Amino acid sequence: MKKLILSFFILFFCLSSFSQDSMQVYPSHWWVKMKNPDLQLMIRYKNIGNIIPTYKLPAKGVRIANGIYMMAVHHVENPDYIFLDLYIAPNAKAGIHTFQFVVPGNHLKINYELK
């Protein structure tokens, strides 16, 4: 019985450590045509703070998908987290949008849903 319980805990620990490698985006989705078009995403992914560099962005932002503009990138002490300030334009369409960040040695895709 002790071996069974020990095996269960080892399996649970291993599975939970594997699940931490998947990207997590909060909030998980957003809506088009909201009264306030500004949105901040928190992204959790192993070492993402070192993958996405600090950008000097123009005041009007950078278009990262149809109707979606990145206004700022915020790095924090923990390199596994990053915050993106987005502007959702009135012409943004509902659906899954892919944000791509290509830097030397890395190609990162973030899928995000607008409803």
Side-chain angles (χ1 to χ4, degrees), residues 82-103:
I82 197 163
F83 294 84
L84 302 179
D85 290 346
L86 303 180
Y87 171 77
I88 311 299
N91 65 341
K93 303 277 189 238
I96 296 178
H97 300 271
T98 301
F99 311 147
Q100 295 189 42
F101 297 91
V102 180
V103 293

Side-chain angles (χ1 to χ4, degrees), residues 11-24:
L11 179 64
F12 178 75
F13 180 74
C14 290
L15 289 176
S16 66
S17 66
F18 285 127
S19 69
Q20 292 177 359
D21 289 340
S22 65
M23 183 177 298
Q24 298 171 339

Side-chain angles (χ1 to χ4, degrees), residues 9-81:
F9 282 115
I10 290 172
L11 179 64
F12 178 75
F13 180 74
C14 290
L15 289 176
S16 66
S17 66
F18 285 127
S19 69
Q20 292 177 359
D21 289 340
S22 65
M23 183 177 298
Q24 298 171 339
V25 181
Y26 303 101
S28 60
H29 62 275
W30 201 247
W31 294 268
V32 294
K33 300 185 181 170
M34 293 288 286
K35 186 175 182 179
N36 183 354
D38 298 319
L39 169 64
Q40 185 175 64
L41 295 182
M42 180 182 79
I43 302 169
R44 180 180 178 271
Y45 184 66
K46 185 174 175 134
N47 213 22
I48 193 167
N50 296 325
I51 295 172
I52 298 178
T54 302
Y55 290 102
K56 184 174 182 179
L57 300 172
K60 65 180 182 173
V62 173
R63 182 177 166 259
I64 59 173
N66 244 356
I68 304 172
Y69 296 86
M70 183 169 60
M71 306 305 287
V73 176
H74 304 282
H75 289 83
V76 293
E77 283 185 43
N78 188 335
D80 293 343
Y81 290 88

